[in-house]
Amino acid sequence: MRLQVIHDSKGKTTGVYIPINEWNDLKKQYKDLEVLEYEDPSKEQILSEIKEALVQLKMVEQGTLKARPAKDLLNEL
């Protein structure tokens, strides 16, 4: 495998580059790796999540949903 190690300006290792062909071979061999790939959300997904958040905010304001501590919310991110 031809890996390229990525360093920051201080020389600290920050990542590894794997050629796409080798990544695809790894995904075939280890099916669980596919969940590690990040795909940008679509505009529709983002709008849907914002709408859901607004609905939940209104429910909190109305007292029909309990608010979560901000710390929990940030940990989720």
Side-chain angles (χ1 to χ4, degrees), residues 26-67:
L26 283 171
K27 288 192 307 183
K28 288 177 187 172
Q29 188 174 0
Y30 303 100
K31 297 292 182 189
D32 292 340
L33 287 178
E34 288 187 20
V35 300
L36 298 177
E37 288 188 326
Y38 175 80
E39 292 185 21
D40 289 330
S42 67
K43 181 178 178 180
E44 292 78 19
Q45 287 174 306
I46 293 170
L47 290 175
S48 174
E49 290 176 11
I50 291 172
K51 287 177 184 177
E52 178 64 26
L54 290 172
V55 167
Q56 290 179 2
L57 180 60
K58 286 181 183 180
M59 291 173 67
V60 168
E61 289 173 343
Q62 294 170 350
T64 58
L65 181 66
K66 185 177 178 184

Side-chain angles (χ1 to χ4, degrees), residues 11-24:
K12 180 180 176 185
T13 301
T14 59
V16 178
Y17 169 81
I18 302 172
I20 193 65
N21 292 338
E22 294 179 27
W23 175 247
N24 289 333

